[in-house]
Amino acid sequence: MTALAPALQAFFTDRLITQRSSSPETIAAYRDAFRLLLRFASERTGKQPFELDLGDLDAPLIGAFLKHLEQDRGNSPRTRNARLGAIHSFYRFAALEHPEHGHTIARVMAIPTKRYERDTLSYLNRDEIKALLAVPDTGTWLGRRDHALLALIIQTGVRVSELTGLRVGDVHLGSGPHIRVLGKGRKKRATTLTAETVNVPRAWLKERQGQPDEPLFPTRQGRPLSRYTVGVIVAKHATAAAANCPSLQAKRVTPHTLHHTNAMLLRAKGVDIATIALWLGHERTKTTHIYEHADPALKEQAIARTAPLGAKLVCV
């Protein structure tokens, strides 16, 4: 038996599941990356996947694999980098378990991520938020559920995976109202509910009447909503809202758009970047700085501070 097979098994079972308690989404993404890599390596070397060794997955082969992802499979640089991130994570683990392959591992770890042009940050302004929240038919159970769901994302900034994981018992409406969220990296945090925000889950919980371990936003059958279904709900109501708010027609509204919207609302209120990072569950404030670059008001303030005295300010 080669070193690769047991190393991969230990990486998934010991490292990701036991030691890091990685989310099912992370494990699935890493699994898919290695499925593609092993298939590519098998075709390139002529060996069966179980015959491959760490020495076969060297830097030239990994480089060829990344090129294959972009040119043959049409993957974006972002997806290419995510696959490389999975490979780097495995090789960091393998470096401790198999130092005899240190040279090969070091060369693979030296493969850099690819730079790419980031998309313009998309978020909703206040008129668009009002139009979106006015769409769900609150005369029906599904409409009230969808209204509460949309409002909670916008007002707390939870990610879609965090939203689908919320249980009835995660909502606390007493002193210091908040929701308990299980975020990226299985990290727990408490997101405060403001006086305005707290009315949304309070009304929904009164109707929901669920047990503490039941999903906060269920299907009609009582099962948790999937990430895909939440995306469909958001897109459906955004399309309907565009009829009364034309600016929405030019935007692709997703759950992540609403996540960004919350951050921009906080920024507009003057909340500092470090606090927003904690609020959204960002591990590094570097991730949160995109909201500074996206805020036109901050740019206008910067221009005002640097303009010569007496100069007339023109904003375009």
Side-chain angles (χ1 to χ4, degrees):
M1 181 184 293
T2 68
L4 179 61
L8 272 174
Q9 182 174 346
F11 174 66
F12 278 92
T13 58
D14 296 340
R15 180 62 171 164
L16 294 183
I17 297 176
T18 304
Q19 297 176 12
R20 297 182 61 182
S21 297
S22 298
S23 68
E25 291 80 13
T26 297
I27 294 171
Y30 280 28
R31 176 204 63 202
D32 293 343
F34 279 97
R35 277 180 175 173
L36 292 171
L37 175 58
L38 293 177
R39 185 179 298 122
F40 177 83
S42 179
E43 293 173 355
R44 179 61 66 95
T45 63
K47 296 181 179 181
Q48 292 297 317
F50 63 84
E51 297 175 324
L52 293 168
D53 201 355
L54 279 166
D56 295 315
L57 305 185
D58 56 10
L61 186 137
I62 299 298
F65 169 67
L66 297 173
K67 187 176 181 180
H68 159 73
L69 290 179
E70 290 191 275
Q71 295 185 353
D72 300 331
R73 294 183 60 85
N75 288 170
S76 66
R78 186 191 297 269
T79 300
R80 178 259 192 202
N81 288 347
R83 303 297 193 202
L84 178 59
I87 293 169
H88 278 170
S89 182
F90 167 66
Y91 274 72
R92 278 193 293 270
F93 172 78
L96 299 175
E97 301 294 321
H98 297 280
E100 70 274 16
H101 290 283
H103 180 67
T104 296
I105 292 171
R107 292 190 64 195
V108 171
M109 293 300 297
I111 298 175
T113 56
K114 190 170 187 177
R115 292 182 177 274
Y116 58 92
E117 186 174 338
R118 293 184 179 271
D119 296 332
T120 303
L121 188 68
S122 180
Y123 61 94
L124 307 187
N125 60 37
R126 294 184 181 275
D127 290 337
E128 292 166 344
I129 293 171
K130 291 179 181 178
L132 179 62
L133 292 178
V135 169
D137 181 6
T138 54
T140 67
W141 183 88
L142 283 177
R144 291 190 291 274
R145 181 203 66 184
D146 291 357
H147 179 268
L149 179 152
L150 294 171
L152 195 69
I153 300 178
I154 293 170
Q155 294 174 344
T156 64
V158 292
R159 302 179 181 92
V160 64
S161 58
E162 297 168 345
L163 180 84
T164 57
L166 284 175
R167 297 292 182 264
V168 171
D170 292 327
V171 183
H172 299 267
L173 301 178
S175 178
H178 64 277
I179 56 174
R180 285 190 309 224
V181 177
L182 184 62
K184 279 188 175 181
R186 314 292 290 178
K187 293 181 179 178
K188 296 180 180 180
R189 72 177 189 279
T191 299
T192 303
L193 297 173
T194 63
E196 177 187 11
T197 311
V198 76
N199 292 326
V200 175
R202 176 175 286 122
W204 174 244
L205 283 177
K206 186 176 180 180
E207 178 170 2
R208 174 72 179 84
Q209 294 293 314
Q211 296 300 313
D213 61 343
E214 292 181 340
L216 180 62
F217 297 111
T219 64
R220 277 200 176 277
Q221 294 73 33
R223 293 190 294 268
L225 293 173
S226 68
R227 296 174 60 179
Y228 172 79
T229 303
V230 174
V232 170
I233 290 171
V234 172
K236 178 184 73 173
H237 292 310
T239 300
N244 295 319
C245 186
S247 62
L248 281 172
Q249 297 174 5
K251 295 183 178 181
R252 179 174 174 266
V253 183
T254 68
H256 211 58
T257 306
L258 305 186
H259 174 75
H260 290 321
T261 297
N262 172 261
M264 294 304 291
L265 289 174
L266 293 173
R267 210 54 206 106
K269 293 177 181 178
V271 179
D272 63 273
I273 287 296
T275 302
I276 295 176
L278 289 172
W279 182 284
L280 298 180
H282 290 172
E283 201 166 273
R284 296 173 298 173
T285 56
K286 180 181 178 181
T287 306
T288 322
H289 278 294
I290 59 172
Y291 302 115
E292 284 190 322
H293 300 305
D295 190 347
L298 289 176
K299 295 176 182 178
E300 291 178 10
Q301 292 169 14
I303 293 172
R305 286 195 297 269
T306 58
L309 293 176
K312 187 176 181 179
L313 195 62
V314 178
C315 296
V316 295

